[in-house]
Coordinates of all heavy atoms in Angstrom, one line a residue:
M28 N 266.7 94.7 -97.5 CA 266.2 96.0 -98.0 C 264.7 96.1 -97.9 O 264.2 97.2 -97.7 CB 266.8 96.3 -99.3 CG 266.6 97.6 -99.8 SD 267.8 97.9 -101.0 CE 267.7 99.6 -101.3
A29 N 264.0 95.0 -98.2 CA 262.6 95.1 -98.2 C 262.0 95.3 -96.8 O 261.0 96.0 -96.6 CB 262.0 93.8 -98.7
V30 N 262.7 94.8 -95.8 CA 262.3 95.0 -94.4 C 262.5 96.5 -94.0 O 261.6 97.1 -93.3 CB 263.1 94.1 -93.5 CG1 262.8 94.4 -92.0 CG2 262.9 92.7 -93.8
T31 N 263.5 97.1 -94.4 CA 263.8 98.5 -94.1 C 262.8 99.3 -94.8 O 262.2 100.3 -94.2 CB 265.2 98.9 -94.6 OG1 266.2 98.1 -94.0 CG2 265.5 100.3 -94.2
H32 N 262.5 99.1 -96.0 CA 261.5 99.8 -96.7 C 260.1 99.7 -96.1 O 259.3 100.6 -96.0 CB 261.4 99.3 -98.2 CG 260.5 100.1 -99.0 ND1 260.6 101.4 -99.3 CD2 259.4 99.7 -99.8 CE1 259.6 101.8 -100.0 NE2 258.8 100.8 -100.4
S33 N 259.8 98.5 -95.6 CA 258.5 98.2 -94.9 C 258.4 99.0 -93.6 O 257.4 99.5 -93.2 CB 258.3 96.7 -94.7 OG 257.2 96.5 -94.0
I34 N 259.5 99.0 -92.9 CA 259.5 99.7 -91.6 C 259.3 101.2 -91.8 O 258.6 101.9 -91.1 CB 260.8 99.4 -90.7 CG1 260.8 98.0 -90.3 CG2 260.9 100.4 -89.6 CD1 262.1 97.6 -89.7
T35 N 260.0 101.7 -92.8 CA 259.9 103.2 -93.1 C 258.5 103.5 -93.6 O 257.9 104.5 -93.2 CB 260.9 103.5 -94.3 OG1 262.2 103.1 -93.9 CG2 260.9 105.0 -94.6
T36 N 257.9 102.7 -94.3 CA 256.5 102.9 -94.8 C 255.5 102.9 -93.6 O 254.7 103.6 -93.4 CB 256.1 101.8 -95.8 OG1 257.0 101.9 -96.9 CG2 254.7 102.0 -96.3
D37 N 255.8 101.9 -92.7 CA 254.9 101.8 -91.5 C 255.1 103.0 -90.6 O 254.1 103.5 -90.1 CB 255.3 100.6 -90.6 CG 254.9 99.2 -91.3 OD1 254.1 99.3 -92.2 OD2 255.4 98.2 -90.8
V38 N 256.2 103.6 -90.5 CA 256.4 104.8 -89.7 C 255.7 106.0 -90.4 O 255.0 106.7 -89.7 CB 258.0 105.1 -89.7 CG1 258.2 106.5 -89.1 CG2 258.7 104.1 -88.8
Y39 N 255.7 106.1 -91.7 CA 255.0 107.1 -92.4 C 253.5 107.0 -92.2 O 252.8 107.9 -92.0 CB 255.3 107.1 -93.9 CG 256.8 107.7 -94.2 CD1 257.6 107.0 -95.1 CD2 257.2 108.8 -93.6 CE1 258.8 107.5 -95.4 CE2 258.5 109.3 -93.8 CZ 259.3 108.6 -94.8 OH 260.5 109.1 -95.0
V40 N 253.1 105.7 -92.3 CA 251.6 105.5 -92.1 C 251.2 105.9 -90.7 O 250.1 106.6 -90.5 CB 251.3 104.0 -92.4 CG1 249.9 103.7 -92.0 CG2 251.5 103.7 -93.9
V41 N 251.9 105.5 -89.7 CA 251.6 105.8 -88.3 C 251.7 107.3 -88.1 O 250.7 107.9 -87.5 CB 252.6 105.1 -87.3 CG1 252.5 105.7 -85.9 CG2 252.4 103.6 -87.4
E42 N 252.7 108.0 -88.7 CA 252.7 109.4 -88.5 C 251.6 110.1 -89.3 O 250.9 111.1 -88.8 CB 254.0 110.0 -89.1 CG 255.3 109.7 -88.3 CD 256.5 110.1 -88.9 OE1 256.5 110.6 -90.1 OE2 257.6 110.0 -88.3
A43 N 251.1 109.6 -90.4 CA 250.0 110.1 -91.1 C 248.8 109.9 -90.3 O 247.9 110.9 -90.3 CB 249.9 109.5 -92.5
L44 N 248.6 108.7 -89.7 CA 247.4 108.5 -89.0 C 247.4 109.4 -87.7 O 246.3 109.9 -87.4 CB 247.4 107.0 -88.5 CG 247.0 106.0 -89.6 CD1 247.2 104.6 -89.1 CD2 245.7 106.2 -90.1
D45 N 248.5 109.6 -87.1 CA 248.6 110.6 -86.0 C 248.1 112.0 -86.4 O 247.4 112.7 -85.7 CB 250.0 110.6 -85.4 CG 250.3 109.4 -84.5 OD1 249.3 108.7 -84.2 OD2 251.5 109.1 -84.3
T46 N 248.7 112.4 -87.6 CA 248.4 113.7 -88.1 C 246.9 113.8 -88.4 O 246.2 114.9 -88.0 CB 249.2 114.0 -89.4 OG1 250.6 113.9 -89.1 CG2 248.9 115.4 -89.9
V47 N 246.3 112.8 -89.1 CA 244.9 112.8 -89.3 C 244.1 112.9 -88.0 O 243.1 113.6 -87.9 CB 244.5 111.6 -90.2 CG1 243.0 111.4 -90.3 CG2 245.1 111.7 -91.6
G48 N 244.5 112.1 -87.0 CA 243.8 112.1 -85.7 C 243.9 113.4 -85.1 O 242.9 113.9 -84.5
N49 N 245.0 114.1 -85.1 CA 245.1 115.4 -84.5 C 244.3 116.4 -85.2 O 243.7 117.3 -84.6 CB 246.6 115.9 -84.5 CG 247.5 115.1 -83.6 OD1 247.0 114.5 -82.6 ND2 248.8 115.0 -83.8
V50 N 244.3 116.3 -86.6 CA 243.4 117.3 -87.3 C 242.0 117.1 -87.0 O 241.2 118.0 -86.8 CB 243.8 117.1 -88.9 CG1 242.7 117.9 -89.7 CG2 245.2 117.6 -89.2
L51 N 241.6 115.8 -87.0 CA 240.1 115.5 -86.6 C 239.8 116.0 -85.3 O 238.7 116.5 -85.0 CB 239.9 114.0 -86.8 CG 239.8 113.4 -88.2 CD1 239.7 112.0 -88.2 CD2 238.8 114.1 -89.0
A52 N 240.7 115.8 -84.3 CA 240.4 116.3 -83.0 C 240.3 117.9 -82.9 O 239.4 118.4 -82.2 CB 241.6 115.9 -82.0
G53 N 241.1 118.5 -83.7 CA 241.0 120.0 -83.8 C 239.7 120.4 -84.5 O 239.1 121.4 -84.1
L54 N 239.3 119.7 -85.5 CA 238.0 119.9 -86.2 C 236.9 119.7 -85.2 O 235.9 120.5 -85.2 CB 237.9 119.0 -87.4 CG 238.7 119.4 -88.6 CD1 238.6 118.4 -89.7 CD2 238.4 120.8 -89.1
A55 N 236.9 118.7 -84.5 CA 235.9 118.4 -83.4 C 235.8 119.5 -82.4 O 234.7 119.9 -82.1 CB 236.1 117.0 -82.8
A56 N 237.0 120.0 -82.0 CA 237.0 121.1 -81.0 C 236.4 122.3 -81.6 O 235.6 123.0 -81.0 CB 238.4 121.3 -80.5
S57 N 236.7 122.6 -82.8 CA 236.2 123.8 -83.5 C 234.7 123.7 -83.7 O 234.0 124.6 -83.6 CB 236.9 123.9 -84.9 OG 238.3 124.2 -84.7
A58 N 234.2 122.5 -84.1 CA 232.8 122.2 -84.2 C 232.1 122.5 -82.9 O 231.0 123.1 -82.9 CB 232.5 120.9 -84.7
R59 N 232.6 122.0 -81.8 CA 232.0 122.3 -80.5 C 232.0 123.7 -80.2 O 231.0 124.2 -79.6 CB 232.7 121.5 -79.4 CG 232.4 120.0 -79.3 CD 233.0 119.3 -78.1 NE 234.4 119.4 -78.0 CZ 235.3 118.6 -78.5 NH1 234.9 117.6 -79.3 NH2 236.6 118.8 -78.3
Y60 N 233.0 124.4 -80.4 CA 233.1 125.9 -80.2 C 232.0 126.6 -81.1 O 231.3 127.4 -80.6 CB 234.5 126.4 -80.6 CG 234.6 127.9 -80.4 CD1 234.6 128.5 -79.1 CD2 234.6 128.7 -81.6 CE1 234.7 129.9 -79.1 CE2 234.6 130.1 -81.4 CZ 234.7 130.7 -80.2 OH 234.8 132.0 -80.1
I61 N 231.9 126.2 -82.4 CA 230.9 126.8 -83.2 C 229.5 126.6 -82.7 O 228.7 127.5 -82.7 CB 231.1 126.4 -84.7 CG1 232.4 126.9 -85.2 CG2 230.0 126.7 -85.5 CD1 232.8 126.4 -86.6
E62 N 229.3 125.3 -82.2 CA 228.0 125.0 -81.7 C 227.6 125.8 -80.5 O 226.6 126.3 -80.3 CB 227.9 123.5 -81.4 CG 227.8 122.6 -82.6 CD 227.9 121.1 -82.3 OE1 228.0 120.8 -81.1 OE2 227.8 120.4 -83.3
S63 N 228.7 126.0 -79.6 CA 228.4 126.8 -78.4 C 228.2 128.3 -78.8 O 227.3 129.0 -78.1 CB 229.6 126.7 -77.4 OG 230.7 127.4 -77.9
Q64 N 228.8 128.8 -79.8 CA 228.6 130.2 -80.2 C 227.3 130.3 -80.9 O 226.5 131.3 -80.7 CB 229.7 130.6 -81.2 CG 231.0 130.8 -80.7 CD 231.1 131.9 -79.6 OE1 230.6 133.0 -79.9 NE2 231.4 131.6 -78.4
I65 N 226.7 129.3 -81.6 CA 225.4 129.3 -82.2 C 224.4 129.3 -81.1 O 223.4 130.1 -81.1 CB 225.2 128.1 -83.1 CG1 226.0 128.4 -84.4 CG2 223.8 127.9 -83.5 CD1 226.1 127.1 -85.3
S66 N 224.6 128.5 -80.1 CA 223.7 128.5 -79.0 C 223.6 129.8 -78.2 O 222.6 130.3 -77.8 CB 224.1 127.3 -78.0 OG 223.3 127.3 -76.8
F67 N 224.8 130.4 -78.0 CA 224.9 131.7 -77.3 C 224.2 132.8 -78.1 O 223.4 133.5 -77.5 CB 226.3 132.1 -77.1 CG 226.5 133.5 -76.5 CD1 226.2 133.8 -75.2 CD2 226.9 134.4 -77.4 CE1 226.4 135.1 -74.8 CE2 227.1 135.8 -76.9 CZ 226.8 136.1 -75.6
N68 N 224.4 132.8 -79.4 CA 223.8 133.8 -80.3 C 222.3 133.6 -80.3 O 221.5 134.6 -80.3 CB 224.3 133.7 -81.7 CG 225.7 134.3 -81.8 OD1 226.1 135.1 -81.0 ND2 226.5 133.9 -82.8
E69 N 221.8 132.4 -80.3 CA 220.4 132.1 -80.2 C 219.8 132.6 -78.9 O 218.7 133.2 -78.9 CB 220.1 130.6 -80.4 CG 220.3 130.1 -81.8 CD 220.1 128.6 -81.9 OE1 220.1 127.9 -80.9 OE2 220.0 128.1 -83.1
S70 N 220.5 132.4 -77.9 CA 220.0 132.9 -76.5 C 219.9 134.4 -76.5 O 219.0 135.0 -76.1 CB 221.0 132.5 -75.5 OG 221.0 131.0 -75.3
V71 N 220.9 135.0 -77.1 CA 221.0 136.5 -77.2 C 219.9 137.0 -78.1 O 219.1 138.0 -77.7 CB 222.3 137.1 -77.6 CG1 222.3 138.5 -78.0 CG2 223.4 136.8 -76.6
S72 N 219.6 136.4 -79.1 CA 218.5 136.7 -80.1 C 217.2 136.6 -79.4 O 216.4 137.5 -79.5 CB 218.6 135.9 -81.4 OG 217.6 136.2 -82.2
N73 N 217.0 135.4 -78.7 CA 215.7 135.3 -78.0 C 215.5 136.3 -76.9 O 214.3 136.8 -76.8 CB 215.7 133.8 -77.4 CG 215.6 132.8 -78.5 OD1 215.2 133.1 -79.6 ND2 216.0 131.6 -78.1
A74 N 216.5 136.6 -76.1 CA 216.4 137.6 -75.1 C 216.1 139.0 -75.7 O 215.3 139.8 -75.1 CB 217.7 137.7 -74.2
T75 N 216.8 139.3 -76.8 CA 216.6 140.6 -77.5 C 215.1 140.7 -78.0 O 214.4 141.7 -77.8 CB 217.6 140.8 -78.6 OG1 218.9 140.7 -78.1 CG2 217.3 142.1 -79.4
E76 N 214.6 139.6 -78.6 CA 213.3 139.6 -79.1 C 212.3 139.7 -78.0 O 211.3 140.5 -78.1 CB 213.0 138.3 -79.9 CG 211.7 138.2 -80.7 CD 211.6 137.0 -81.5 OE1 212.7 136.5 -82.0 OE2 210.5 136.5 -81.6
E77 N 212.5 139.0 -76.9 CA 211.6 139.2 -75.8 C 211.6 140.6 -75.2 O 210.6 141.1 -74.9 CB 212.0 138.1 -74.7 CG 211.0 138.1 -73.5 CD 211.4 137.1 -72.4 OE1 212.2 136.2 -72.7 OE2 211.0 137.2 -71.3
G78 N 212.8 141.2 -75.1 CA 212.9 142.6 -74.6 C 212.3 143.5 -75.4 O 211.5 144.4 -75.0
L79 N 212.4 143.4 -76.7 CA 211.7 144.3 -77.7 C 210.2 144.1 -77.6 O 209.5 145.1 -77.7 CB 212.3 144.1 -79.1 CG 213.6 144.5 -79.4 CD1 214.0 144.1 -80.9 CD2 213.8 146.0 -79.3
G80 N 209.8 142.9 -77.5 CA 208.3 142.6 -77.3 C 207.8 143.3 -76.0 O 206.7 143.9 -76.0
N81 N 208.6 143.3 -74.9 CA 208.1 143.9 -73.7 C 208.1 145.5 -73.8 O 207.2 146.1 -73.3 CB 209.1 143.5 -72.5 CG 208.9 142.1 -72.1 OD1 207.9 141.5 -72.4 ND2 209.9 141.5 -71.5
I82 N 209.1 145.9 -74.6 CA 209.1 147.4 -74.9 C 207.8 147.8 -75.6 O 207.2 148.8 -75.3 CB 210.3 147.8 -75.5 CG1 211.5 147.7 -74.6 CG2 210.2 149.2 -76.1 CD1 212.9 147.9 -75.2
V83 N 207.5 147.0 -76.7 CA 206.4 147.3 -77.5 C 205.1 147.3 -76.7 O 204.2 148.1 -76.7 CB 206.3 146.4 -78.7 CG1 204.9 146.4 -79.4 CG2 207.4 146.7 -79.7
D84 N 205.0 146.2 -75.8 CA 203.8 146.0 -75.0 C 203.7 147.2 -74.0 O 202.6 147.8 -73.8 CB 203.9 144.8 -74.2 CG 203.7 143.5 -75.0 OD1 203.3 143.7 -76.2 OD2 204.1 142.4 -74.5
A85 N 204.8 147.6 -73.4 CA 204.7 148.8 -72.5 C 204.3 150.0 -73.2 O 203.6 150.9 -72.7 CB 206.1 149.0 -71.8
D86 N 204.8 150.2 -74.5 CA 204.5 151.4 -75.2 C 203.0 151.4 -75.6 O 202.3 152.4 -75.5 CB 205.4 151.5 -76.5 CG 205.3 152.8 -77.2 OD1 205.4 153.8 -76.5 OD2 205.2 152.8 -78.5
L87 N 202.5 150.2 -76.0 CA 201.1 150.2 -76.3 C 200.2 150.4 -75.1 O 199.2 151.1 -75.1 CB 200.8 148.8 -76.8 CG 201.2 148.5 -78.3 CD1 201.0 147.0 -78.6 CD2 200.6 149.4 -79.2
A88 N 200.7 149.9 -73.9 CA 199.9 150.1 -72.6 C 200.0 151.6 -72.3 O 198.9 152.2 -71.8 CB 200.6 149.3 -71.5
R89 N 201.1 152.3 -72.5 CA 201.1 153.7 -72.2 C 200.2 154.5 -73.2 O 199.5 155.4 -72.7 CB 202.6 154.2 -72.3 CG 202.7 155.7 -71.9 CD 204.1 156.2 -72.2 NE 204.3 156.4 -73.6 CZ 205.4 156.8 -74.2 NH1 206.5 157.0 -73.4 NH2 205.5 156.9 -75.5
G90 N 200.2 154.1 -74.3 CA 199.3 154.7 -75.3 C 197.8 154.6 -75.0 O 197.1 155.5 -75.1
A91 N 197.5 153.3 -74.5 CA 196.1 153.1 -74.1 C 195.8 153.9 -72.9 O 194.7 154.4 -72.8 CB 195.9 151.6 -73.9
A92 N 196.7 154.0 -72.0 CA 196.4 154.8 -70.8 C 196.2 156.3 -71.2 O 195.4 157.0 -70.6 CB 197.6 154.7 -69.8
E93 N 197.0 156.8 -72.1 CA 196.9 158.2 -72.6 C 195.5 158.4 -73.2 O 194.8 159.4 -73.0 CB 198.0 158.5 -73.6 CG 199.3 158.7 -72.9 CD 200.5 159.0 -73.8 OE1 200.2 158.9 -75.1 OE2 201.6 159.1 -73.4
V94 N 195.1 157.4 -74.0 CA 193.8 157.6 -74.7 C 192.7 157.5 -73.6 O 191.7 158.3 -73.7 CB 193.6 156.4 -75.7 CG1 192.1 156.3 -76.2 CG2 194.5 156.6 -76.9
T95 N 192.8 156.6 -72.7 CA 191.8 156.6 -71.6 C 191.8 157.9 -70.8 O 190.7 158.4 -70.5 CB 192.1 155.4 -70.6 OG1 192.1 154.2 -71.4 CG2 191.1 155.3 -69.6
A96 N 192.9 158.5 -70.5 CA 193.0 159.7 -69.8 C 192.2 160.8 -70.6 O 191.5 161.7 -70.0 CB 194.4 160.1 -69.5
L97 N 192.6 160.9 -71.9 CA 191.9 161.8 -72.7 C 190.4 161.7 -72.8 O 189.7 162.7 -72.8 CB 192.5 161.9 -74.1 CG 194.0 162.3 -74.2 CD1 194.5 162.1 -75.6 CD2 194.1 163.8 -73.9
Q98 N 189.9 160.5 -72.8 CA 188.5 160.2 -72.9 C 187.9 160.7 -71.5 O 186.7 161.2 -71.6 CB 188.3 158.7 -73.1 CG 188.5 158.2 -74.5 CD 188.5 156.8 -74.6 OE1 188.5 156.0 -73.7 NE2 188.3 156.3 -75.9
V99 N 188.5 160.4 -70.5 CA 188.0 160.9 -69.1 C 187.9 162.3 -69.1 O 186.9 162.9 -68.6 CB 188.8 160.3 -68.0 CG1 188.5 161.0 -66.7 CG2 188.7 158.8 -67.9
Q100 N 189.0 163.0 -69.6 CA 189.0 164.5 -69.6 C 187.8 165.0 -70.4 O 187.2 166.0 -70.1 CB 190.3 165.0 -70.1 CG 191.5 164.9 -69.2 CD 192.7 165.4 -69.8 OE1 192.8 165.6 -71.0 NE2 193.8 165.5 -69.0
Q101 N 187.6 164.4 -71.6 CA 186.5 164.8 -72.5 C 185.2 164.6 -71.8 O 184.3 165.5 -71.9 CB 186.6 164.0 -73.8 CG 185.5 164.4 -74.8 CD 185.6 163.5 -76.0 OE1 186.1 162.4 -76.0 NE2 185.2 164.1 -77.2
Q102 N 184.9 163.5 -71.1 CA 183.7 163.3 -70.4 C 183.5 164.3 -69.3 O 182.4 164.8 -69.1 CB 183.7 161.8 -69.9 CG 183.5 160.8 -70.9 CD 183.7 159.4 -70.3 OE1 184.0 159.2 -69.2 NE2 183.6 158.4 -71.2
L103 N 184.6 164.6 -68.5 CA 184.4 165.6 -67.5 C 184.1 166.9 -68.1 O 183.4 167.7 -67.5 CB 185.7 165.6 -66.7 CG 186.0 164.4 -65.8 CD1 187.4 164.5 -65.2 CD2 184.9 164.3 -64.7
A104 N 184.7 167.3 -69.2 CA 184.4 168.6 -69.8 C 183.0 168.6 -70.3 O 182.3 169.7 -70.1 CB 185.4 168.8 -71.0
I105 N 182.5 167.6 -70.8 CA 181.0 167.6 -71.2 C 180.1 167.7 -70.0 O 179.2 168.4 -70.0 CB 180.8 166.3 -72.1 CG1 181.5 166.3 -73.4 CG2 179.3 166.0 -72.2 CD1 181.5 165.0 -74.1
Q106 N 180.5 167.0 -68.9 CA 179.7 167.1 -67.7 C 179.7 168.5 -67.1 O 178.7 169.1 -66.7 CB 180.1 166.1 -66.7 CG 179.8 164.6 -67.0 CD 180.3 163.7 -66.0 OE1 181.1 164.0 -65.1 NE2 180.0 162.4 -66.3
T107 N 180.9 169.1 -67.2 CA 181.0 170.4 -66.7 C 180.2 171.4 -67.5 O 179.5 172.3 -66.9 CB 182.5 170.9 -66.7 OG1 183.3 170.0 -65.9 CG2 182.8 172.3 -66.2
L108 N 180.3 171.3 -68.9 CA 179.4 172.2 -69.6 C 177.9 171.9 -69.4 O 177.2 172.9 -69.4 CB 179.7 171.9 -71.1 CG 181.1 172.4 -71.6 CD1 181.3 172.0 -73.1 CD2 181.1 174.0 -71.5
G109 N 177.6 170.7 -69.2 CA 176.1 170.4 -68.9 C 175.7 171.1 -67.6 O 174.7 171.6 -67.5
I110 N 176.6 171.0 -66.6 CA 176.3 171.6 -65.3 C 176.2 173.2 -65.5 O 175.3 173.8 -64.9 CB 177.3 171.2 -64.2 CG1 177.2 169.8 -63.9 CG2 177.1 172.1 -62.9 CD1 178.2 169.2 -63.1
A111 N 177.2 173.7 -66.1 CA 177.2 175.1 -66.4 C 176.0 175.6 -67.2 O 175.5 176.7 -66.9 CB 178.5 175.5 -67.1
N112 N 175.6 174.9 -68.1 CA 174.3 175.3 -68.8 C 173.0 175.2 -68.0 O 172.1 175.8 -68.3 CB 174.2 174.4 -70.1 CG 175.2 174.8 -71.2 OD1 175.7 175.9 -71.2 ND2 175.6 173.9 -72.0
Q113 N 173.1 174.3 -67.0 CA 171.9 174.2 -66.2 C 171.7 175.3 -65.2 O 170.6 175.7 -64.8 CB 171.9 172.8 -65.4 CG 171.7 171.6 -66.3 CD 171.9 170.3 -65.5 OE1 172.2 170.3 -64.4 NE2 171.7 169.2 -66.2
R114 N 172.8 175.9 -64.7 CA 172.8 177.0 -63.7 C 172.0 178.2 -64.2 O 171.1 178.7 -63.4 CB 174.2 177.4 -63.4 CG 175.1 176.4 -62.7 CD 174.5 176.1 -61.3 NE 175.3 175.0 -60.7 CZ 175.0 174.4 -59.6 NH1 173.9 174.7 -59.0 NH2 175.7 173.5 -59.2
P115 N 172.2 178.7 -65.4 CA 171.4 179.9 -65.8 C 169.9 179.5 -65.8 O 169.1 180.3 -65.5 CB 171.8 180.3 -67.2 CG 173.2 179.7 -67.3 CD 173.2 178.5 -66.4
N116 N 169.5 178.4 -66.3 CA 168.2 177.9 -66.3 C 167.6 177.9 -64.9 O 166.4 178.2 -64.6 CB 167.9 176.6 -67.0 CG 168.2 176.7 -68.5 OD1 168.2 177.8 -69.1 ND2 168.6 175.6 -69.1
A117 N 168.4 177.4 -63.9 CA 167.9 177.4 -62.6 C 167.7 178.8 -62.0 O 166.7 179.0 -61.3 CB 168.9 176.6 -61.8
L118 N 168.6 179.7 -62.3 CA 168.4 181.1 -61.9 C 167.2 181.7 -62.5 O 166.3 182.4 -61.9 CB 169.6 181.9 -62.2 CG 170.9 181.6 -61.4 CD1 172.0 182.5 -61.9 CD2 170.6 182.0 -59.9
L119 N 167.0 181.4 -63.8 CA 165.8 182.0 -64.5 C 164.5 181.4 -64.0 O 163.5 182.1 -63.9 CB 165.9 181.7 -66.1 CG 167.0 182.5 -66.8 CD1 167.0 182.0 -68.3 CD2 166.6 184.0 -66.7
S120 N 164.5 180.2 -63.6 CA 163.3 179.5 -63.0 C 162.9 180.2 -61.7 O 161.8 180.2 -61.3 CB 163.4 178.0 -62.9 OG 164.4 177.7 -61.9
L121 N 163.9 180.7 -61.0 CA 163.6 181.4 -59.7 C 162.8 182.7 -60.0 O 162.0 183.1 -59.1 CB 164.9 181.7 -59.0 CG 165.7 180.5 -58.4 CD1 167.0 181.0 -57.8 CD2 164.8 179.7 -57.4
F122 N 163.1 183.4 -61.1 CA 162.5 184.6 -61.4 C 161.1 184.4 -62.1 O 160.4 185.4 -62.3 CB 163.4 185.5 -62.3 CG 164.6 185.9 -61.5 CD1 165.8 185.5 -61.9 CD2 164.5 186.8 -60.5 CE1 166.9 185.9 -61.2 CE2 165.6 187.2 -59.8 CZ 166.9 186.8 -60.2
S123 N 160.8 183.2 -62.5 CA 159.6 183.0 -63.3 C 158.4 182.8 -62.3 O 158.3 182.4 -61.3 CB 159.6 181.8 -64.1 OG 160.7 181.8 -65.0

């Protein structure tokens, strides 16, 4: 009877070890999947951050171009007024 009890116990131990091994294999697979998802999410986050940075840079460049264009327009307007103000004086000098 002791031999039968020992064999039965051995079977239970082997089955328990197999179950533990299967559970550990499942956990390892789940851990690899989670790691791959973390890596993917980090890649998406980095790409999004870079894209947003590029959008901000482009927006700043556009704003700078608009400011430059307005400054050029202002300078041209000042030059035009200067030329326009010189014309009457040139005509008056002809009559002097």
Side-chain angles (χ1 to χ4, degrees):
M28 188 155 189
V30 174
T31 305
H32 182 61
S33 176
I34 293 174
T35 305
T36 303
D37 288 346
V38 169
Y39 288 134
V40 169
V41 169
E42 288 177 356
L44 288 174
D45 285 344
T46 301
V47 168
N49 290 337
V50 169
L51 288 176
L54 287 174
S57 295
R59 284 190 301 273
Y60 175 75
I61 290 170
E62 287 172 359
S63 71
Q64 289 299 306
I65 289 171
S66 176
F67 173 76
N68 287 338
E69 286 173 348
S70 296
V71 169
S72 176
N73 291 339
T75 301
E76 188 174 327
E77 183 179 341
L79 288 174
N81 290 338
I82 289 171
V83 169
D84 290 345
D86 193 44
L87 289 174
R89 186 183 74 182
E93 289 174 355
V94 167
T95 302
L97 290 172
Q98 287 172 339
V99 168
Q100 286 177 346
Q101 184 181 24
Q102 290 171 357
L103 289 174
I105 291 169
Q106 289 176 356
T107 301
L108 287 174
I110 293 169
N112 286 335
Q113 289 174 1
R114 294 292 177 192
N116 291 337
L118 286 175
L119 288 177
S120 69
L121 292 175
F122 295 112
S123 303

